[in-house]
């Protein structure tokens, strides 16, 4: 029987942004808040393989020190193993509907009745083991900028994960061409399930692929919620898939990494239209010069 791995951390609220940022850097596939008070919160951080508890603890303590926070802001940290059949039940405990921007409402399918009367566009996302539930700053930033700039046409979702961005794009502009891909077959399977839940499976092409396969196809908008170390080497590829005067929305960028990412993309013909910070992260909207 497969076992899922997690770290459970009790932390001071003031340290949330610093610790969250480090957990994503350490390779977490998702973070949920299981308990929340004005001063203290408990996080559960999921990993595909057993994480190095001692190493991550030491790295978090160094990150706290660098941020001017006391080491006691990390009150406790312990490893958990969750049996396969219990994994989704564990996710369900902390996954609630969340409003994004002016028009979107992200909710799991098991909360469908709770959001049925909402006037917002409801996007139902069941996470599986793929990244993207709308709660993380990078996903939220992409959704907010998508809502702001997307007016239909053609869209490419790079590293689609749960499919949340592709599905949102299809619902915001139903007559558009939307393509989402991921290098992970399991993520694409999750995205396909979510597209079916939302009734947009016929509006989105979802596939296992790489960005280089789309060279020469020009999209009006490209979404890339990745990480800075992936975005920078792909700068030339992005310029080959965005149409002249088209947009790239890039996220997964820590604030201190902004300069490196912007420099790489500007060198390939992009210019920054908007930078949207959120906690330790920043999401960029960039236009390809015509």
């Amino acid at each position: 029987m497969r076992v899922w791995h997690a770290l459970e951390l009790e932390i001071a609220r003031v340290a949330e942004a610093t610790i969250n940022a480090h957990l994503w850097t350490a390779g977490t596939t998702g973070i949920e808040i299981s308990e929340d008070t004005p001063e203290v919160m408990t996080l559960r951080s999921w990993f595909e393989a057993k994480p190095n508890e001692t190493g991550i603890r030491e790295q978090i303590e160094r990150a706290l020190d660098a941020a001017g926070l006391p080491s006691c802001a990390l009150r406790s940290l312990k490893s958990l193993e969750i049996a396969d059949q219990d994994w989704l039940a564990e996710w369900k405990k902390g996954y609630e509907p969340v409003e994004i921007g002016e028009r979107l409402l992200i909710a799991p399918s098991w909360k469908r009745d709770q959001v049925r009367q909402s006037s917002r566009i409801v996007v139902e996302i069941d996470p599986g083991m793929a990244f993207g539930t709308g709660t993380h700053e990078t996903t939220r930033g992409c959704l907010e900028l998508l809502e702001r700039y997307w007016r239909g046409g053609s869209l490419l979702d790079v590293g689609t994960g749960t499919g949340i961005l592709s599905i949102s794009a299809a619902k915001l502009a139903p007559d558009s061409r939307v393509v989402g891909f991921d290098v992970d077959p399991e993520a694409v399977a999750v995205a396909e399930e979510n597209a079916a839940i939302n009734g947009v499976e016929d509006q989105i092409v979802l596939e296992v692929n790489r960005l280089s396969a789309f060279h020469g196809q020009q999209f009006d908008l490209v979404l890339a919620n990745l990480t800075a170390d992936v975005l920078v080497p792909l700068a030339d590829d992005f310029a080959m898939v965005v149409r002249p005067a088209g947009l790239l929305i890039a996220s997964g960028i820590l604030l201190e990494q902004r300069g490196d990412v912007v420099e790489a993309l500007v060198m390939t013909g992009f210019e920054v239209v908007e930078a949207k910070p959120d906690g330790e992260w920043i999401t960029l909207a960039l236009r390809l010069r015509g």
Side-chain angles (χ1 to χ4, degrees):
M1 181 182 297
R2 185 171 181 179
V3 172
W4 303 113
H5 302 278
L7 291 177
E8 189 166 270
L9 306 88
E10 184 178 293
I11 68 171
R13 176 175 288 279
V14 69
E16 179 187 6
T18 298
I19 291 176
N20 271 357
H22 180 76
L23 290 170
W24 288 107
T25 301
T28 186
T29 58
I31 300 171
E32 61 178 307
I33 300 172
S34 56
E35 294 181 26
D36 193 7
T37 70
E39 300 296 331
V40 178
M41 57 201 314
T42 301
L43 306 178
R44 187 166 290 182
S45 176
W46 296 89
F47 294 83
E48 291 185 350
K50 186 174 182 179
N52 181 345
E53 179 181 344
T54 301
I56 291 177
R57 179 192 296 273
E58 292 173 351
Q59 291 162 13
I60 287 176
E61 288 174 348
R62 287 197 293 270
L64 291 171
D65 182 63
L69 296 168
S71 60
C72 63
L74 175 61
R75 298 164 65 100
S76 67
L77 185 153
K78 63 180 180 181
S79 295
L80 299 176
E81 293 185 349
I82 308 296
D84 189 56
Q85 69 266 28
D86 296 329
W87 188 86
L88 187 55
E90 290 293 323
W91 254 110
K92 287 183 177 181
K93 290 179 183 178
Y95 188 15
E96 295 294 329
V98 57
E99 293 183 350
I100 303 288
E102 299 296 325
R103 301 170 61 195
L104 295 170
L105 175 62
I106 312 300
S109 62
W110 58 88
K111 297 285 186 178
R112 184 175 298 149
D113 290 341
Q114 181 178 325
V115 301
R116 192 180 302 276
Q117 301 304 317
S118 175
S119 61
R120 286 174 171 254
I121 296 171
V122 177
V123 178
E124 297 181 18
I125 296 295
D126 292 349
M129 274 304 289
F131 171 68
T133 62
T135 58
H136 190 260
E137 293 92 335
T138 62
T139 308
R140 186 166 61 234
C142 284
L143 287 169
E144 290 176 350
L145 292 185
L146 174 68
E147 181 186 271
R148 186 168 305 159
Y149 293 105
W150 173 235
R151 295 295 179 267
S154 57
L155 180 144
L156 180 65
D157 180 14
V158 181
T160 194
T162 60
I164 185 172
L165 301 179
S166 292
I167 294 165
S168 298
K171 288 201 163 192
L172 286 165
D175 295 326
S176 299
R177 177 193 177 212
V178 177
V179 179
F181 74 90
D182 206 293
V183 297
D184 181 3
E186 185 172 349
V188 173
V190 170
E192 290 173 339
E193 292 173 4
N194 284 321
I197 289 170
N198 285 274
V200 296
E201 65 271 32
D202 294 333
Q203 298 173 239
I204 305 172
V205 175
L206 294 165
E207 56 189 55
V208 179
N209 218 327
R210 295 184 178 276
L211 185 55
S212 57
F214 296 91
H215 286 182
Q217 299 185 46
Q218 294 188 332
F219 292 85
D220 296 301
L221 193 151
V222 173
L223 293 161
N225 187 12
L226 304 170
T227 58
D229 62 329
V230 175
L231 290 167
V232 170
L234 290 177
D236 287 323
D237 297 270
F238 290 129
M240 298 181 72
V241 297
V242 177
R243 68 164 177 81
L247 285 175
L248 168 67
I249 294 174
S251 197
I253 308 162
L254 291 166
L255 289 173
E256 60 266 26
Q257 298 170 328
R258 170 183 174 171
D260 292 337
V261 175
V262 169
E263 180 181 6
L265 291 170
V266 167
M267 289 287 291
T268 61
F270 288 95
E271 57 187 5
V272 177
V273 175
E274 182 175 351
K276 185 174 181 57
D278 189 347
E280 295 286 313
W281 302 88
I282 191 165
T283 302
L284 302 171
L286 307 103
R287 190 175 305 280
L288 184 64
R289 292 188 290 272

